[in-house]
Amino acid sequence: MKNNPSKIVDCTIRDGGLVNNWDFSVEFVQQLYAGLNKAGVDYMEIGYKNSPKLLKGAEGAGPWRFLNDDFLRKVIPQKGSTKLSALVDVGRVDEDDILPRSESLLDLIRVACYVKDVDKALDLIQKFHDLGYETTINIMALSGVMEKELVEAFDLIKESVVDVVYIVDSYGSLDHKDMLYLIEKFKAHLPNKRLGVHTHNNMQLAFSNTLIAVDNGVEFLDASVYGMGRAAGNCPTELLVTHLKNTQYQLRPVLEVLEKLLVPLREQEEWGYLLPYMITGTLNEHPRSAMAVRASENKDAVVEFYDKLTTPEVSFPKG
C-alpha cells in the first residue's frame, strides 16, 4: 500500500482546454479554483506556460494556453491552499518567460516530452528548479516506448533534480497489468523519485488504473472534473475525491462546480468515452484520427473507421 498520502492534480483547464481551445471565461476558472480549494484538491493545473512565439495558431487560443503572470494575479487575487501548476512542452517554451517562483503564483511546473527529448526536458527542469519551482517530468506515449530507450531515460532522470516522474498513458491503451508493470519498472530504476500518473479514458480504465497506481505507491494523481480532457478525457476528479480513503477531500464543492460549470459545458463540447476513442485506445494509437472522425459528418460510422485503421493497405507495383 502507499506510504505517502495521495495528491490530486486537477487538469480541467489545461487538458480540458484541448477540447475548447482554452475558451474558458475568467469567472469559470475562478469558480473552479474556489471549488477545488474548498474540496481540498492539492493542485490545479491552470494552463500551459508555453510561449506563443514558438507555436503556430497561437492567436486563436484562450489565455490559459500561454499563461501570463500579470494576468494570473488578476484571475487569482487571493490564493488558497490549492497550489497552482502549469505544463510546458519541450521546444515550445522560452525559459526567459518563466519568472522566479517568488514572483509568480505558480508552484509547480511540469515538463512534457517524448522519450527522445528527456535530456532537453531535464535541462529545462534544472532551470525551473533553480528558480524555486516544484517540478515533474511527464514522458508521453509510454505505450510505444522501447525498453532500451526507457532505461536510458531512467539513467538520466535518476541523476536529475526532478521531484516527480509521471507514468503517462497518452493513448488510453494501458490496462491494469500494463500499469503494474510500468510502476514496478519506474520504482526499480528510480528509487529516489516520487511518481505520478496521468490516465486517459479511451477504454473506461482511467479511474481503475489510477486506483492501481495509488495502491502501489504512486503519489501524484492527475484528474479533471467530469473527466474533461482531450478526446476520451481523463480520470474524473470527483471519483478520486469521493473514493480515496483516509483523505480530507470534500465531494460537495466538486459537485457544485460540476453542476454549475461542467454539466452545461458538456452540452456544448464533446469529450469522454466514445467508440472511435475506444478503437484508437485498443489499437494503441494516438486519438487524432478518432477526433477527426468525431468532427466529420460520419462521426458514428465506427465499423468503417475500424476497418480503415486495421486493414493493411495493399500496394501493387506499377506494370
Side-chain angles (χ1 to χ4, degrees):
M1 291 299 285
K2 61 182 194 250
N3 303 317
N4 294 313
S6 303
K7 290 180 174 44
I8 297 176
V9 182
D10 182 273
C11 305
T12 309
I13 301 303
R14 199 272 308 163
D15 205 333
L18 290 155
V19 174
N20 67 347
N21 204 22
W22 298 275
D23 185 20
F24 300 102
S25 69
V26 168
E27 295 72 29
F28 185 107
V29 174
Q30 287 173 329
Q31 288 170 23
L32 179 62
Y33 180 76
L36 292 173
N37 188 56
K38 217 166 160 187
V41 168
D42 306 88
Y43 293 83
M44 171 173 167
E45 191 148 83
I46 198 162
Y48 281 93
K49 194 77 177 88
N50 286 337
S51 307
K53 55 186 173 283
L54 298 177
L55 263 173
K56 288 186 190 124
E59 51 289 336
W64 322 100
R65 184 73 177 98
F66 307 101
L67 288 169
N68 172 288
D69 284 281
D70 293 334
F71 169 72
L72 211 44
R73 276 187 279 274
K74 290 180 189 133
V75 175
I76 313 278
Q78 282 197 296
K79 202 161 141 197
S81 56
T82 297
K83 292 179 174 181
L84 291 176
S85 160
L87 187 79
V88 302
D89 294 302
V90 166
R92 292 179 170 179
V93 61
D94 181 344
E95 61 209 52
D96 294 335
D97 290 349
I98 310 287
L99 293 175
R101 182 179 178 182
S102 56
E103 297 169 32
S104 171
L105 279 187
L106 297 171
D107 302 283
L108 167 66
I109 299 185
R110 312 202 299 168
V111 180
C113 67
Y114 290 105
V115 73
K116 66 181 176 59
D117 291 326
V118 161
D119 54 340
K120 294 180 188 137
L122 293 174
D123 286 345
L124 282 174
I125 283 163
Q126 181 68 57
K127 293 184 175 92
F128 301 151
H129 172 84
D130 292 344
L131 290 170
Y133 292 98
E134 299 170 39
T135 57
T136 82
I137 185 168
N138 299 34
I139 306 173
M140 298 182 287
L142 272 180
S143 55
V145 174
M146 306 300 280
E147 177 100 5
K148 182 170 169 288
E149 289 178 293
L150 200 52
V151 171
E152 285 170 4
F154 287 148
D155 289 342
L156 296 173
I157 292 167
K158 191 161 67 177
E159 302 304 318
S160 75
V161 296
V162 73
D163 298 306
V164 182
V165 185
Y166 262 81
I167 297 164
V168 182
D169 180 15
S170 295
Y171 302 160
S173 60
L174 303 180
D175 67 14
H176 65 287
K177 289 178 187 162
D178 302 318
M179 191 56 72
L180 272 173
Y181 172 80
L182 283 170
I183 293 166
E184 290 309 317
K185 188 164 279 307
F186 273 63
K187 278 166 131 180
H189 286 273
L190 303 168
N192 59 334
K193 298 298 182 188
R194 296 149 88 189
L195 297 182
V197 67
H198 182 96
T199 56
H200 283 126
N201 207 34
N202 297 64
M203 301 196 297
Q204 302 228 32
L205 294 174
F207 178 49
S208 62
N209 280 343
T210 302
L211 293 186
I212 283 160
V214 171
D215 283 345
N216 287 277
V218 174
E219 188 182 343
F220 281 70
L221 315 172
D222 280 15
S224 56
V225 180
Y226 217 14
M228 186 183 186
R230 185 197 68 196
N234 306 103
C235 174
T237 300
E238 60 274 13
L239 285 179
L240 287 183
V241 161
T242 193
H243 192 85
L244 293 175
K245 306 298 178 238
N246 306 317
T247 61
Q248 300 302 306
Y249 299 122
Q250 303 292 321
L251 177 61
R252 196 171 188 280
V254 185
L255 291 178
E256 287 174 344
V257 163
L258 257 166
E259 183 179 317
K260 189 172 182 185
L261 304 176
L262 273 300
V263 172
L265 183 57
R266 184 64 179 78
E267 299 291 314
Q268 302 159 28
E269 303 284 355
E270 181 179 277
W271 71 84
Y273 174 77
L274 290 160
L275 291 173
Y277 301 142
M278 180 277 283
I279 290 167
T280 57
T282 201
L283 295 173
N284 191 23
E285 290 205 6
H286 193 289
R288 64 174 70 87
S289 57
M291 291 160 75
V293 162
R294 289 305 299 173
S296 75
E297 288 176 7
N298 290 334
K299 64 181 186 178
D300 293 313
V302 292
V303 176
E304 182 187 326
F305 178 62
Y306 177 75
D307 287 346
K308 198 180 277 185
L309 289 187
T310 55
T311 307
E313 288 181 6
V314 181
S315 59
F316 296 94
K318 293 186 175 117

